[in-house]
Amino acid sequence: GGGSVWATTASAVPVTFAVSGSTFQVAAAHLAGKDAVQFASFATDAAGKRRPVAVAGIGRARISHLCQSSVAHTPFGSVTLTIRSGEEHPVKAENLVIDLKRLDGDLRFGRVQMGRDAGSLDAVEGVRGDRGTYGQQARTLDIDRMRLRAWSLTAGTFSLKGASMAISPGDRSCL
């Protein structure tokens, strides 16, 4: 396919958009997910460059101790935008789709199907890959000590209670 293309759901998630050309980072103590799919695809940036991605779709997720950061390199130096979830409240997300560059952590899949045709994935409504390519899906997905770099993230809902957002000089990424 020519991009991470997936059908929209009732939550009005955009079908596709040009990625920025730089990744952002996410660190979390734990992600608990229900209904997950994964397959390879491509994301296209604003300059038209196709970038390989591992598309991860999760129907419902709870993420504890989230830190998300994006570093911008300007002629005047680097600046970092950081978002942190509240310590007492996990982030809640529905219909989460991430175009991953890299994911590290301790992963645990429940009721997993590896090697399933990516075009037939059905664990997350509307999120599937190209027919004839490798895919996998699971009823549950748990990730401890999650560290990821991603090109994009979309969600039907992404709720952060007690969150903070800050911008600071320098490279102060979560990873």
Side-chain angles (χ1 to χ4, degrees):
S4 297
V5 179
W6 35 276
T8 58
T9 64
S11 57
V13 176
V15 173
T16 187
F17 58 89
V19 298
S20 69
S22 62
T23 59
F24 60 92
Q25 301 82 36
V26 177
H30 183 76
L31 178 144
K34 298 274 188 201
D35 302 323
V37 299
Q38 189 275 318
F39 55 91
S41 187
F42 290 90
T44 304
D45 69 19
K49 183 175 181 181
R50 287 171 37 108
R51 300 179 183 277
V53 296
V55 177
I58 304 172
R60 290 186 317 266
R62 292 175 60 92
I63 308 164
S64 60
H65 302 284
L66 176 130
C67 177
Q68 177 181 330
S69 62
S70 176
V71 179
H73 302 285
T74 74
F76 305 105
S78 298
V79 292
T80 304
L81 172 65
T82 306
I83 300 171
R84 294 182 185 276
S85 66
E87 292 295 315
E88 300 297 317
H89 306 283
V91 173
K92 296 178 184 176
E94 293 184 7
N95 299 319
L96 180 66
V97 179
I98 307 169
D99 284 345
L100 292 167
K101 180 177 182 179
R102 181 181 179 107
L103 169 67
D104 294 297
D106 298 328
L107 285 76
R108 186 173 47 259
F109 298 95
R111 293 181 45 200
V112 66
Q113 299 174 336
M114 293 184 176
R116 184 168 172 160
D117 187 286
S120 74
L121 298 173
D122 59 5
V124 181
E125 185 179 347
V127 184
R128 63 187 57 84
D130 290 333
R131 192 174 295 164
T133 61
Y134 176 90
Q136 63 186 42
Q137 66 182 24
R139 178 68 178 122
T140 62
L141 168 63
D142 286 284
I143 307 172
D144 289 322
R145 292 182 298 283
M146 183 177 79
R147 304 285 183 265
L148 66 83
R149 293 187 184 276
W151 293 105
S152 68
L153 179 150
T154 58
T157 61
F158 197 79
S159 303
L160 296 92
K161 188 172 182 180
S164 66
M165 180 170 41
I167 191 151
S168 55
D171 183 338
R172 302 186 190 288
S173 70
C174 295
L175 305 181

